[in-house]
Amino acid sequence: MLTTTVCAALSAAGLAVAFLTAWRRRFVAATRIAALALVPVGLAMSGLVELFGEVGGAVASWASGLVLEPTVWAGFGVLALAVVLYVVARFAGGRSRSRAAADRPADRPADRPVGGSGPSRPAVGGGRGKGDAAAPDDDFSDIEAILKKHGI
């Protein structure tokens, strides 16, 4: 009952400020103030104020039990280990992919047909035009050609 009264008083004060702001012909600011002023009474009417109180009490009881229980601290240690392992795996995975791309030769033997006849590269993407002399792994050769064409 007391929380509803406090929320209603806060909303009434906010609406009074919004009215005074609108009196000075600052309607956009007055609308924003009125919107914020209606939040406390809306929270009280929907029952969310009591819900926040119960959640706060639950967090407080958990925090008070946190200090003396070794299993809780062991749980935090396990969570920290999980995060460290995940970060290490992401870092190692990124390095191995970039290292594999750097170690790969420009023309792999699997791309060449047996006997030396035919094109040395598969004709999947078609010709490159001006960028034919560039290495096949150079993904930026097309972009470089366009920038040179425009004088950049």
Side-chain angles (χ1 to χ4, degrees), residues 47-142:
L48 290 175
V49 174
E50 289 83 14
L51 175 69
F52 293 148
E54 290 176 13
V55 169
V59 169
S61 69
W62 171 79
S64 66
L66 173 72
V67 177
L68 299 175
E69 292 195 32
T71 56
V72 175
W73 289 104
F76 279 123
V78 169
L79 289 174
L81 178 65
V83 169
V84 167
L85 288 175
Y86 183 78
V87 170
V88 166
R90 289 281 296 204
F91 183 71
R95 287 190 59 143
S96 67
R97 273 184 264 146
S98 64
R99 186 171 291 164
D103 291 343
R104 184 177 44 200
D107 240 349
R108 291 181 286 168
D111 290 341
R112 289 191 219 134
V114 178
S117 63
S120 62
R121 286 186 283 150
V124 175
R128 287 190 178 199
K130 290 184 177 180
D132 279 341
D137 286 337
D138 188 10
D139 293 336
F140 297 107
S141 62
D142 296 336

Side-chain angles (χ1 to χ4, degrees), residues 15-76:
L15 289 174
V17 171
F19 176 75
L20 292 175
T21 306
W23 187 265
R24 287 187 242 151
R25 301 201 181 267
R26 298 177 58 204
F27 297 112
V28 175
T31 305
R32 287 186 191 132
I33 294 169
L36 289 175
L38 292 175
V39 169
V41 77
L43 289 174
M45 290 174 70
S46 63
L48 290 175
V49 174
E50 289 83 14
L51 175 69
F52 293 148
E54 290 176 13
V55 169
V59 169
S61 69
W62 171 79
S64 66
L66 173 72
V67 177
L68 299 175
E69 292 195 32
T71 56
V72 175
W73 289 104
F76 279 123

